[in-house]
Amino acid sequence: MASVLASEPSLVYSRRVVEARVHKYHWPAVQLNIWMLIMLISACTIIGVFATFIDIQHTLLLPVPWYFPYYITVASLAVFFILLLLYLIYQRRLLPSIVMIGGFILFVLWLTGLIVISVQLWGPDGSVSSECNIQVFGASPMPKGQTLETLAWLEQRSICQSWQAVFAFGLVGAVFLLWIMVIAYQVFADDAV
């Protein structure tokens, strides 16, 4: 029995080295950097304005409307998404599918906030814009000098302009979220060729 086992040929295993080939997509660096910069500006502006508005509501002992924390949350998600993209760029693992899915989710959330802000800004009854036009921008005569009336008028004007800034940056953010989905599709399509 021992002679039978000894006469069998021995098996030699050789290892094959398999290279793990990582697929790399070619992203337009300038467009991606501009997109990240503008989205960071838009998101941080919305966070800052609505955080100020929440503080004003608390100071005046008024309830906080639901869309203030909603848009702060959405803008914070946008900042987190940009940080995730930067991490993936650093790791050289930025995939167009991640950008398209994340961009679409943020676009829907962002657009919801933009619609609510639009209704509040230009809505039918007692909109922010009509109140600002009547009480602030249409004030005649405009207060001057170092008085409490002038200070109150300047604060009201600042609040009105903050609403306009939130709408403007909300609109810019929505357009740029559409743009990043187009960029991601172009990167995917260029790679398929």
Side-chain angles (χ1 to χ4, degrees):
M1 185 79 102
S3 63
V4 174
L5 290 175
S7 66
E8 291 181 15
S10 63
L11 297 174
V12 176
Y13 293 101
S14 63
R15 291 184 182 221
R16 277 195 272 160
V17 177
V18 178
E19 267 185 49
R21 199 175 93 153
V22 176
H23 190 80
K24 294 182 181 177
Y25 292 95
H26 301 287
W27 289 87
V30 173
Q31 289 181 16
L32 199 58
N33 288 333
I34 289 172
W35 181 84
M36 282 190 264
L37 178 66
I38 298 299
M39 281 305 296
L40 276 174
I41 291 170
S42 297
C44 290
T45 300
I46 289 171
I47 291 169
V49 168
F50 280 142
T52 303
F53 283 177
I54 288 174
D55 184 50
I56 291 170
Q57 294 291 104
H58 286 303
T59 303
L60 296 174
L61 300 176
L62 295 171
V64 176
W66 66 270
Y67 47 88
F68 288 177
Y70 171 81
Y71 224 162
I72 287 175
T73 304
V74 172
S76 299
L77 286 173
V79 171
F80 175 75
F81 182 64
I82 292 168
L83 293 175
L84 176 67
L85 293 183
L86 287 171
Y87 174 76
L88 291 172
I89 289 169
Y90 178 74
Q91 296 292 323
R92 299 190 185 275
R93 301 273 189 223
L94 184 61
L95 302 175
S97 58
I98 292 172
V99 175
M100 282 193 284
I101 291 169
F104 177 74
I105 291 169
L106 275 175
F107 175 73
V108 170
L109 295 171
W110 197 279
L111 190 62
T112 302
L114 182 61
I115 290 169
V116 171
I117 295 306
S118 299
V119 169
Q120 295 301 317
L121 194 55
W122 293 294
D125 294 328
S127 67
V128 172
S129 182
S130 66
E131 293 296 321
C132 286
N133 288 336
I134 293 169
Q135 296 181 11
V136 179
F137 300 123
S140 181
M142 290 187 190
K144 302 255 188 235
Q146 298 179 6
T147 64
L148 284 178
E149 289 176 3
T150 305
L151 186 61
W153 181 80
L154 289 171
E155 180 64 26
Q156 287 175 326
R157 189 179 72 168
S158 173
I159 290 171
C160 292
Q161 290 171 338
S162 294
W163 272 97
Q164 294 166 349
V166 163
F167 175 76
F169 280 107
L171 186 61
V172 167
V175 170
F176 270 64
L177 285 167
L178 279 176
W179 185 37
I180 196 64
M181 289 188 284
V182 170
I183 291 173
Y185 177 75
Q186 287 175 342
V187 167
F188 181 74
D190 289 345
D191 186 67
V193 173

